[in-house]
Amino acid sequence: MTKAPAFLLLSFFAFFSLNGIYAQDFAPVDKSPADICLYNIKDTPQVKIVYSRPQLKSRQVFGKLVPYGKVWRTGANEATTIKFYKEVILGGRSIPAGEYSLFSIPGPEQWTIILNSQADQWGAYSYDDKKDVVRFNVPARKTTKAIEIFSILMKESPDGVAVTMGWENTLVEFPVKFK
């Protein structure tokens, strides 16, 4: 065998071997993709919320898909988590820095916001109210325009940050006060 055919054969083998390395079967994009909402002061993180964003898709959400009066993971997939980088005041209580799960109990007029000490959990299936750190109620407001994708945003407030959550035709907001 001459050098040229051996080189071609080796090149052919290497090409198809390396091609297998790059042609992996990656998972498709999640139907409720994860997102992160981060609030910084002068490039220093203060609050971070990690959540999944389900879509409306012409469904009735609150009162049907997400029943009123029942604990909801506040998003999709894994339970939403909220991380405080320093001590804050939430629902009138002092909350130490750390990561928590953020649950809610939606209602037509008001929601109960729940901070739970068990941060890593799937949905609300293993939710344990004995691990609640704080619960408080906030008013629910109706929107004039539908919100297609569940969304969370944070905006500066006089003594901290206001967390706003919206989906379908509902908005709720709660304050996080910095100490």
Side-chain angles (χ1 to χ4, degrees), residues 122-169:
W122 182 262
Y125 303 108
S126 61
Y127 167 76
D128 181 355
D129 65 355
K130 292 175 189 67
K131 295 181 181 180
D132 288 353
V133 176
V134 67
R135 282 179 169 228
F136 57 96
N137 295 324
V138 295
R141 300 188 322 254
K142 295 296 179 196
T143 63
T144 55
K145 190 174 168 185
I147 302 167
E148 177 63 32
I149 302 171
F150 176 68
S151 299
I152 298 176
L153 66 87
M154 289 187 275
K155 59 185 176 219
E156 185 177 352
S157 67
D159 51 0
V161 64
V163 177
T164 304
M165 302 184 294
W167 195 24
E168 191 183 27
N169 63 348

Side-chain angles (χ1 to χ4, degrees), residues 7-28:
F7 175 75
L8 287 174
L9 183 60
L10 184 58
S11 296
F12 179 79
F13 177 73
F15 173 78
F16 284 102
S17 295
L18 290 175
N19 190 33
I21 292 172
Y22 296 108
Q24 300 299 313
D25 293 328
F26 290 105

Side-chain angles (χ1 to χ4, degrees), residues 61-73 103-114 124 127 129 135 137 140:
V61 175
F62 297 113
K64 189 169 183 177
L65 180 67
V66 175
Y68 287 136
K70 300 225 182 226
V71 173
W72 179 46
R73 65 182 121 195
F103 292 101
S104 56
I105 301 174
E109 305 295 323
Q110 74 175 14
W111 285 25
T112 301
I113 304 298
I114 304 167
Y127 167 76
D129 65 355
R135 282 179 169 228
N137 295 324

